[in-house]
Coordinates of all heavy atoms in Angstrom, one line a residue:
M20 N 31.1 -2.5 58.9 CA 30.8 -1.2 58.3 C 32.2 -0.4 58.1 O 33.0 -0.3 59.0 CB 29.9 -0.3 59.2 CG 29.6 0.9 58.6 SD 28.1 0.7 57.5 CE 27.7 2.4 57.1
G21 N 32.5 -0.2 56.8 CA 33.8 0.6 56.6 C 33.7 2.0 56.8 O 32.8 2.5 57.5
K22 N 34.7 2.7 56.4 CA 34.7 4.3 56.5 C 33.7 4.9 55.7 O 33.3 4.4 54.6 CB 36.2 4.7 56.4 CG 36.8 4.3 55.1 CD 38.3 4.8 55.0 CE 38.9 4.4 53.7 NZ 40.2 5.0 53.6
I23 N 33.3 6.1 56.2 CA 32.3 6.9 55.5 C 32.7 8.2 55.1 O 33.4 8.9 55.9 CB 31.1 7.1 56.4 CG1 30.6 5.6 56.8 CG2 30.0 7.9 55.8 CD1 29.5 5.6 58.0
P24 N 32.5 8.7 53.9 CA 33.0 10.0 53.6 C 32.1 11.1 54.2 O 30.8 10.9 54.5 CB 32.6 10.1 52.0 CG 32.3 8.8 51.6 CD 31.7 8.0 52.8
V25 N 32.6 12.2 54.7 CA 32.0 13.2 55.3 C 32.3 14.6 54.8 O 33.3 14.8 54.1 CB 32.2 13.3 56.8 CG1 31.6 12.1 57.7 CG2 33.7 13.4 57.2
I26 N 31.3 15.4 54.7 CA 31.4 16.7 54.2 C 31.4 17.8 55.2 O 30.3 17.8 56.0 CB 30.3 17.1 53.1 CG1 30.3 16.0 52.0 CG2 30.5 18.4 52.5 CD1 29.2 16.1 51.0
D27 N 32.3 18.7 55.3 CA 32.2 19.8 56.3 C 31.3 21.0 55.5 O 31.9 21.6 54.7 CB 33.5 20.3 56.7 CG 33.5 21.5 57.7 OD1 32.4 22.0 57.8 OD2 34.5 21.7 58.2
I28 N 30.1 21.0 55.7 CA 29.2 21.9 55.1 C 29.6 23.4 55.3 O 29.4 24.2 54.4 CB 27.8 21.6 55.6 CG1 27.2 20.1 55.0 CG2 26.8 22.7 54.9 CD1 27.3 20.0 53.6
S29 N 30.0 23.6 56.4 CA 30.5 25.0 56.7 C 31.6 25.5 55.7 O 32.0 26.6 55.6 CB 30.9 25.1 58.2 OG 32.2 24.4 58.4
E30 N 32.5 24.5 55.3 CA 33.5 24.8 54.3 C 33.2 24.7 52.8 O 33.6 25.4 52.0 CB 34.7 23.9 54.5 CG 35.5 24.2 55.8 CD 36.1 25.5 55.8 OE1 36.6 26.0 54.8 OE2 36.1 26.1 56.9
C31 N 32.2 23.9 52.5 CA 31.8 23.6 51.2 C 31.4 24.8 50.5 O 30.5 25.6 51.0 CB 30.7 22.5 51.2 SG 30.0 22.2 49.6
N32 N 31.8 25.0 49.3 CA 31.4 26.2 48.4 C 30.4 25.8 47.3 O 30.0 26.6 46.4 CB 32.6 27.0 47.8 CG 33.2 26.3 46.8 OD1 32.9 25.1 46.5 ND2 34.4 26.8 46.4
G33 N 30.0 24.6 47.3 CA 29.1 24.0 46.3 C 29.5 24.1 44.9 O 28.8 24.2 43.9
C34 N 30.9 23.8 44.7 CA 31.4 23.9 43.4 C 31.0 22.7 42.5 O 31.3 22.7 41.4 CB 33.0 23.9 43.5 SG 33.7 22.4 44.0
D35 N 30.5 21.7 43.2 CA 30.0 20.4 42.5 C 31.1 19.5 42.0 O 30.9 18.6 41.2 CB 29.1 20.8 41.4 CG 27.8 21.3 41.7 OD1 27.4 21.3 43.0 OD2 27.0 21.6 40.9
G36 N 32.3 19.8 42.3 CA 33.4 19.0 41.9 C 33.4 17.6 42.4 O 33.7 16.6 41.6
C37 N 33.0 17.3 43.7 CA 32.9 16.1 44.2 C 31.7 15.3 43.5 O 31.9 14.0 43.3 CB 32.7 16.1 45.6 SG 31.2 17.1 46.2
L38 N 30.7 15.9 42.9 CA 29.6 15.3 42.4 C 30.1 14.8 40.9 O 29.6 13.7 40.5 CB 28.4 16.2 42.1 CG 27.7 17.0 43.3 CD1 26.5 17.8 42.7 CD2 27.3 16.0 44.2
D39 N 31.0 15.5 40.3 CA 31.5 15.1 38.9 C 32.4 14.0 39.1 O 32.4 13.0 38.3 CB 32.3 16.3 38.4 CG 31.4 17.5 37.9 OD1 30.1 17.2 37.8 OD2 31.8 18.6 37.8
I40 N 33.2 13.9 40.2 CA 34.2 13.0 40.4 C 33.4 11.5 40.9 O 33.9 10.4 40.4 CB 35.2 13.3 41.4 CG1 36.2 14.4 40.8 CG2 36.1 12.1 41.8 CD1 37.0 15.1 41.7
S41 N 32.6 11.7 41.8 CA 31.9 10.5 42.4 C 30.4 10.6 42.5 O 29.9 10.9 43.7 CB 32.6 10.1 43.7 OG 32.1 8.9 44.1
P42 N 29.7 10.7 41.4 CA 28.3 10.8 41.5 C 27.5 9.8 42.3 O 26.3 10.0 42.6 CB 27.8 10.9 40.1 CG 28.9 10.3 39.3 CD 30.1 10.4 40.1
D43 N 28.2 8.6 42.5 CA 27.5 7.7 43.3 C 27.6 7.9 44.7 O 27.0 7.2 45.6 CB 28.2 6.2 43.0 CG 27.8 5.7 41.7 OD1 26.8 6.2 41.1 OD2 28.5 4.9 41.1
T44 N 28.6 8.7 45.1 CA 28.8 9.1 46.5 C 28.2 10.3 47.0 O 27.6 10.4 48.1 CB 30.4 9.1 46.8 OG1 30.9 8.0 46.3 CG2 30.6 9.3 48.3
F45 N 28.2 11.3 46.2 CA 27.8 12.7 46.6 C 26.6 13.1 45.8 O 26.5 12.7 44.6 CB 28.9 13.7 46.3 CG 30.2 13.4 47.2 CD1 31.3 12.8 46.5 CD2 30.2 13.5 48.5 CE1 32.4 12.4 47.2 CE2 31.4 13.1 49.2 CZ 32.5 12.6 48.5
V46 N 25.7 13.7 46.4 CA 24.4 14.2 45.7 C 24.1 15.6 46.3 O 24.4 15.9 47.3 CB 23.3 13.1 46.1 CG1 22.9 13.1 47.5 CG2 22.1 13.4 45.1
Y47 N 23.4 16.3 45.4 CA 23.0 17.7 45.7 C 21.4 17.6 46.2 O 20.6 17.1 45.5 CB 23.1 18.6 44.5 CG 22.5 20.0 44.8 CD1 23.1 20.8 45.7 CD2 21.4 20.3 44.0 CE1 22.6 22.0 46.0 CE2 20.8 21.7 44.3 CZ 21.4 22.5 45.3 OH 20.9 23.7 45.6
N48 N 21.3 18.0 47.5 CA 20.0 18.1 48.0 C 19.4 19.4 47.7 O 19.8 20.5 48.2 CB 20.1 18.0 49.5 CG 18.8 17.8 50.2 OD1 17.9 18.6 49.9 ND2 18.6 16.9 51.1
E49 N 18.4 19.5 46.8 CA 17.8 20.7 46.2 C 17.0 21.4 47.3 O 17.1 22.7 47.5 CB 16.8 20.4 45.0 CG 17.6 20.2 43.7 CD 16.7 20.1 42.6 OE1 15.5 20.6 42.5 OE2 17.0 19.2 41.7
D50 N 16.4 20.6 48.1 CA 15.5 21.3 49.2 C 16.5 22.0 50.2 O 16.1 23.2 50.7 CB 14.7 20.2 50.0 CG 13.6 19.6 49.0 OD1 13.4 20.2 48.0 OD2 13.3 18.5 49.3
L51 N 17.4 21.4 50.6 CA 18.4 22.0 51.6 C 19.5 22.8 51.1 O 20.1 23.6 51.8 CB 19.0 20.9 52.5 CG 17.9 19.9 53.3 CD1 18.7 18.8 54.0 CD2 17.1 20.8 54.2
D52 N 19.6 22.7 49.8 CA 20.8 23.5 49.0 C 22.0 23.1 49.6 O 22.8 24.1 49.9 CB 20.4 25.0 49.1 CG 21.4 25.7 48.2 OD1 21.8 25.2 47.2 OD2 21.6 26.9 48.5
F53 N 22.4 21.9 49.8 CA 23.7 21.5 50.1 C 24.1 20.2 49.6 O 23.1 19.3 49.3 CB 24.2 21.8 51.5 CG 23.6 21.1 52.6 CD1 23.4 19.6 52.6 CD2 23.0 21.8 53.6 CE1 22.7 19.0 53.6 CE2 22.3 21.1 54.6 CZ 22.2 19.7 54.6
I54 N 25.3 19.8 49.5 CA 25.8 18.4 49.0 C 25.8 17.5 50.2 O 26.1 17.8 51.3 CB 27.3 18.6 48.6 CG1 27.5 19.7 47.7 CG2 27.7 17.2 48.0 CD1 27.0 19.6 46.3
E55 N 25.3 16.3 49.9 CA 25.2 15.2 50.9 C 25.8 14.0 50.4 O 26.1 13.7 49.2 CB 23.8 14.7 51.0 CG 22.7 15.8 51.7 CD 21.3 15.3 51.9 OE1 21.0 14.5 50.9 OE2 20.7 15.7 52.7
V56 N 26.2 13.1 51.4 CA 26.7 11.9 51.1 C 25.7 10.8 50.9 O 24.8 10.8 51.8 CB 27.7 11.4 52.2 CG1 28.3 10.0 52.0 CG2 29.0 12.3 52.3
V57 N 25.7 10.1 49.9 CA 24.6 9.0 49.7 C 24.8 7.9 50.7 O 26.0 7.6 50.9 CB 24.7 8.4 48.2 CG1 23.7 7.4 48.0 CG2 24.6 9.6 47.3
E58 N 23.9 7.4 51.3 CA 24.1 6.4 52.3 C 24.3 5.0 51.5 O 23.4 4.5 50.7 CB 22.8 6.2 53.1 CG 22.9 7.0 54.4 CD 21.7 6.7 55.4 OE1 21.6 5.4 55.7 OE2 21.0 7.6 55.8
R59 N 25.4 4.4 51.8 CA 25.8 3.1 51.1 C 26.5 2.2 52.1 O 27.0 2.7 53.2 CB 26.8 3.4 49.9 CG 26.2 4.2 48.9 CD 27.3 4.2 47.7 NE 26.6 4.9 46.6 CZ 25.7 4.3 45.8 NH1 25.5 3.0 46.0 NH2 25.1 5.0 44.8
D60 N 26.4 1.0 51.8 CA 27.2 0.0 52.7 C 28.8 0.2 52.3 O 29.6 -0.1 53.3 CB 26.8 -1.5 52.3 CG 25.5 -1.7 52.9 OD1 24.9 -1.0 53.8 OD2 24.8 -2.6 52.3
Q61 N 29.1 0.5 51.1 CA 30.5 0.6 50.7 C 30.6 1.8 49.7 O 29.7 2.1 49.0 CB 30.9 -0.6 50.0 CG 31.4 -1.7 50.9 CD 32.1 -2.8 50.1 OE1 31.7 -3.2 49.1 NE2 33.3 -3.3 50.7
Y62 N 31.9 2.4 49.8 CA 32.0 3.5 48.9 C 33.2 3.2 48.1 O 34.0 2.4 48.4 CB 32.3 4.7 49.8 CG 31.1 5.3 50.5 CD1 31.0 4.8 51.8 CD2 30.2 6.1 49.9 CE1 29.8 5.2 52.5 CE2 29.0 6.4 50.5 CZ 28.8 6.1 51.9 OH 27.7 6.4 52.5
D63 N 33.2 3.8 46.9 CA 34.4 3.6 46.0 C 35.6 4.4 46.5 O 35.6 5.7 46.3 CB 33.9 4.1 44.6 CG 35.1 3.8 43.5 OD1 36.2 4.0 43.8 OD2 34.7 3.4 42.4
T64 N 36.4 3.6 47.2 CA 37.6 4.4 47.9 C 38.4 5.3 46.8 O 38.7 6.4 47.2 CB 38.5 3.4 48.3 OG1 37.8 2.4 49.3 CG2 39.6 4.0 49.4
A65 N 38.7 4.7 45.7 CA 39.4 5.5 44.8 C 38.8 6.9 44.3 O 39.5 7.8 44.3 CB 39.8 4.6 43.5
E66 N 37.5 6.7 44.1 CA 36.8 7.9 43.7 C 36.6 8.8 44.8 O 36.8 10.1 44.6 CB 35.3 7.6 43.3 CG 35.2 7.0 41.8 CD 33.8 6.9 41.5 OE1 32.8 7.4 42.1 OE2 33.6 6.3 40.4
V67 N 36.4 8.4 46.0 CA 36.3 9.3 47.1 C 37.6 10.0 47.4 O 37.7 11.2 47.7 CB 35.6 8.6 48.4 CG1 35.6 9.6 49.6 CG2 34.3 8.1 48.1
D68 N 38.6 9.2 47.3 CA 40.0 9.8 47.6 C 40.3 10.9 46.6 O 41.0 11.9 46.8 CB 41.1 8.7 47.4 CG 41.2 7.8 48.7 OD1 40.6 8.2 49.8 OD2 41.8 6.8 48.7
E69 N 39.9 10.7 45.3 CA 40.1 11.6 44.4 C 39.3 12.8 44.5 O 39.7 14.0 44.4 CB 39.7 11.1 43.0 CG 40.0 11.8 41.7 CD 41.5 11.9 41.4 OE1 42.2 11.1 41.9 OE2 41.8 12.7 40.6
A70 N 38.1 12.7 45.0 CA 37.2 13.8 45.3 C 37.8 14.6 46.5 O 37.8 15.9 46.6 CB 35.8 13.4 45.7
I71 N 38.3 13.8 47.5 CA 38.9 14.6 48.7 C 40.2 15.4 48.2 O 40.3 16.5 48.6 CB 39.4 13.5 49.8 CG1 38.3 12.9 50.4 CG2 40.3 14.1 50.8 CD1 38.5 11.6 51.3
K72 N 40.9 14.8 47.4 CA 42.2 15.4 46.9 C 41.8 16.7 46.1 O 42.6 17.7 46.2 CB 42.9 14.5 46.0 CG 44.4 14.7 45.9 CD 45.1 13.7 45.2 CE 44.8 13.6 43.7 NZ 45.4 12.4 43.0
N73 N 40.8 16.7 45.4 CA 40.4 17.8 44.4 C 39.5 18.8 45.0 O 39.2 19.8 44.4 CB 39.8 17.2 43.2 CG 40.9 16.6 42.3 OD1 41.6 17.2 41.7 ND2 41.0 15.3 42.3
C74 N 38.8 18.5 46.3 CA 38.0 19.5 46.8 C 38.8 20.8 47.1 O 39.7 20.9 47.8 CB 37.4 19.0 48.1 SG 36.4 20.2 49.0
P75 N 38.4 21.9 46.5 CA 39.0 23.1 46.6 C 39.0 23.7 48.0 O 39.8 24.6 48.4 CB 38.4 24.1 45.6 CG 37.0 23.6 45.6 CD 37.2 22.2 45.7
K76 N 38.1 23.2 49.0 CA 37.9 23.8 50.3 C 38.3 22.8 51.4 O 38.1 23.1 52.6 CB 36.4 24.2 50.5 CG 35.9 25.2 49.5 CD 36.5 26.5 49.6 CE 36.0 27.3 50.8 NZ 36.7 28.5 51.1
N77 N 38.9 21.8 50.8 CA 39.3 20.7 51.9 C 38.2 20.4 52.8 O 38.4 20.1 54.0 CB 40.5 21.1 52.7 CG 41.9 21.0 51.8 OD1 42.0 20.1 51.0 ND2 42.7 22.1 52.0
A78 N 37.0 20.2 52.2 CA 35.7 20.0 53.0 C 35.5 18.5 53.2 O 34.5 18.2 53.8 CB 34.6 20.7 52.4
L79 N 36.1 17.7 52.4 CA 35.9 16.2 52.4 C 36.9 15.4 53.2 O 38.1 15.7 53.2 CB 35.8 15.8 51.0 CG 34.9 16.4 50.1 CD1 35.0 15.8 48.7 CD2 33.4 16.1 50.6
S80 N 36.4 14.5 53.9 CA 37.3 13.5 54.6 C 36.7 12.2 54.8 O 35.4 12.0 54.5 CB 37.7 14.2 56.0 OG 36.6 14.4 56.7
W81 N 37.4 11.3 55.3 CA 36.8 10.0 55.7 C 36.5 10.0 57.2 O 37.3 10.7 58.0 CB 37.9 8.8 55.4 CG 38.0 8.4 54.0 CD1 39.1 8.7 53.3 CD2 37.2 7.6 53.2 NE1 39.0 8.1 52.0 CE2 37.8 7.6 52.0 CE3 35.8 7.2 53.3 CZ2 37.1 6.9 50.9 CZ3 35.3 6.5 52.3 CH2 35.9 6.4 51.2
E82 N 35.6 9.3 57.6 CA 35.3 9.3 59.0 C 35.3 7.8 59.5 O 34.9 6.9 58.7 CB 34.0 9.7 59.3 CG 33.5 9.9 60.8 CD 32.3 10.6 61.0 OE1 31.1 10.0 61.0 OE2 32.3 11.8 61.1
Ligands
SF4_123 S1 34.3 19.4 45.9 FE1 34.3 20.3 48.1 S2 33.7 22.4 47.9 FE2 33.2 21.4 46.0 S3 30.9 20.7 46.3 FE3 32.3 19.0 46.9 S4 32.6 19.3 49.1 FE4 31.9 21.3 48.3

């Protein structure tokens, strides 16, 4: 199992930037009204790195 992207929900402002950059990794949960990480065996490292870099709240990281 490789590294997993995580979202600090307390920091996230719901800008949807990460959804635009990596829609295979991040998804909006309508019921709970926050962004979630899609469960996968592997993540697109380049896309997730880009999302981490561009998150305006620094709410994304690898675990
Ligand atoms: S880019 Fe950052 S602040 Fe914007 S929705 Fe994603 S985690 Fe939240």
